[in-house]
């Protein structure tokens, strides 16, 4: 996907998040984020939007702390969220292709990183906001879902801080049934190593398969896995250890 596509997705998903949050109300529990109410979700996502905007707008070359969570609530909180979301979208859309700033996952450029990361961040939290309504979340395009799986497996869980580990070597395959997309995740006491496009033939201990959009949400622990074959303990390991924490 190209940068303008990520920015457009970010724009649409932020609007949908705000609409779902407004409909649900600030006190409603977020089913996909245990311990959170809608206000917590909106505060967190709005804080992340402002944090990301600062890197792109100011060109910070190293890590810069976020501004913290606001004390706002209700209509004031939603207005704050919408303002920060709008500024992030506009800042990314206006940024030069040769933007230089800090980023934390592999990407073709810092601008590509921030556009991609914020599109996926906002999409996942839009799903959370819709879960507060008790609704089946809106789906995403197949291409965007494949990209999100790739970012999660090869990006987040390619880092030393990933806790998805096994005492003995194990192999987990992730396969999108509606796309030419297969990932082989090799688990050991070290951080996982994910290989893209490895042939579906090879020995694996467990396979998680399904349409890309379902897999995307399942791997981010928002939905059950569509189809599981082999050792279910690896799916349980993923559920327990794959969470991405803030900070």
């Amino acid at each position: 996907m190209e940068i303008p596509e990520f920015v457009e997705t970010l724009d649409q998903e932020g609007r949908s998040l705000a609409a779902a949050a407004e409909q649900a109300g600030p006190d409603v529990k977020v089913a996909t984020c245990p311990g959170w109410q809608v206000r917590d979700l909106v505060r967190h996502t709005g804080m992340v939007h402002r944090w990301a905007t600062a890197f792109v707008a100011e060109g910070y070359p190293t890590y810069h702390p976020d501004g913290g969570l606001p004390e706002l609530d209700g209509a004031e909180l939603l207005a704050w969220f919408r303002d920060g979301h709008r500024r992030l979208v506009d800042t990314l859309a206006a940024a030069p292709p040769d933007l230089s700033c800090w980023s934390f996952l592999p990407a073709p450029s810092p601008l590509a990183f921030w556009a991609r990361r914020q599109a996926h961040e906002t999409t996942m939290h839009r799903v959370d906001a819709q879960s507060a309504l008790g609704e089946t979340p809106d789906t995403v395009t197949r291409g965007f879902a494949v990209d999100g799986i790739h970012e999660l497996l090869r990006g987040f869980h390619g880092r030393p801080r990933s806790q998805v580990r096994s005492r003995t070597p194990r192999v987990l395959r992730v396969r999108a049934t509606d796309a030419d997309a297969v990932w082989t995740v090799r688990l050991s006491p070290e951080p996982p190593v994910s290989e893209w496009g490895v042939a579906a033939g090879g020995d694996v201990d467990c396979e998680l398969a399904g349409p890309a959009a379902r897999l995307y949400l399942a791997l981010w622990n928002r939905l059950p896995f569509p189809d599981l074959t082999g050792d279910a303990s690896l799916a349980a390991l993923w559920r327990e250890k794959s969470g991405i924490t803030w900070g």
Side-chain angles (χ1 to χ4, degrees):
M1 292 179 63
E2 300 297 325
I3 292 171
E5 295 176 278
F6 285 122
V7 175
E8 181 180 358
T9 299
L10 167 63
D11 190 5
Q12 295 171 346
E13 294 288 356
R15 292 170 186 266
S16 296
L17 190 164
E22 187 170 32
Q23 183 179 348
D27 298 325
V28 174
K29 293 181 179 179
V30 179
T32 49
C33 297
W36 271 14
Q37 295 173 301
V38 168
R39 65 170 56 85
D40 301 307
L41 175 67
V42 176
R43 287 170 178 167
H44 166 80
T45 313
M47 174 270 291
V48 173
H49 285 171
R50 283 167 165 75
W51 180 71
T53 300
F55 285 103
V56 179
E58 304 299 332
Y60 293 128
T62 57
Y63 174 83
H64 190 78
D66 64 79
L69 300 176
E71 296 293 332
L72 301 172
D73 206 350
E76 287 185 319
L77 176 61
L78 283 170
W80 174 86
F81 173 85
R82 287 181 167 119
D83 177 66
H85 170 249
R86 183 75 262 147
R87 284 195 283 138
L88 174 60
V89 170
D90 292 345
T91 299
L92 287 167
D98 61 350
L99 169 74
S100 178
C101 68
W102 179 81
S103 59
F104 61 88
L105 294 179
S109 69
L111 180 58
F113 163 80
W114 284 110
R116 177 198 208 190
R117 176 83 291 278
Q118 291 308 300
H120 288 296
E121 175 88 7
T122 306
T123 297
M124 209 51 59
H125 289 318
R126 180 267 297 166
V127 169
D128 294 331
Q130 290 180 338
S131 80
L133 294 170
E135 297 179 350
T136 300
D138 294 340
T139 191
V140 299
T141 66
R142 181 171 54 193
F144 183 74
V146 168
D147 181 82
I149 296 170
H150 201 71
E151 185 203 43
L152 179 63
L153 297 181
R154 302 266 290 174
F156 280 108
H157 290 290
R159 301 188 299 171
R161 67 191 301 174
S162 174
Q163 296 303 306
V164 183
R165 306 184 187 207
S166 172
R167 292 184 177 180
T168 58
R170 311 298 299 280
V171 180
L172 173 68
R173 177 184 294 139
V174 175
R175 180 170 58 87
T177 55
D178 58 347
D180 184 17
V182 179
W183 298 262
T184 299
V185 184
R186 302 190 183 279
L187 304 177
S188 74
E190 300 299 317
V193 176
S194 297
E195 301 166 325
W196 162 255
V198 175
D203 293 333
V204 299
D205 297 292
C206 177
E207 179 177 281
L208 306 175
R214 284 287 307 277
L215 268 182
Y216 171 61
L217 296 183
L219 288 165
W220 275 102
N221 296 326
R222 264 62 180 190
L223 289 177
F225 292 115
D227 185 35
L228 185 160
T229 56
D231 186 353
S233 71
L234 289 187
L237 174 67
W238 182 269
R239 284 280 186 245
E240 180 183 359
K241 299 293 187 180
S242 68
I244 305 299
T245 58
W246 178 252

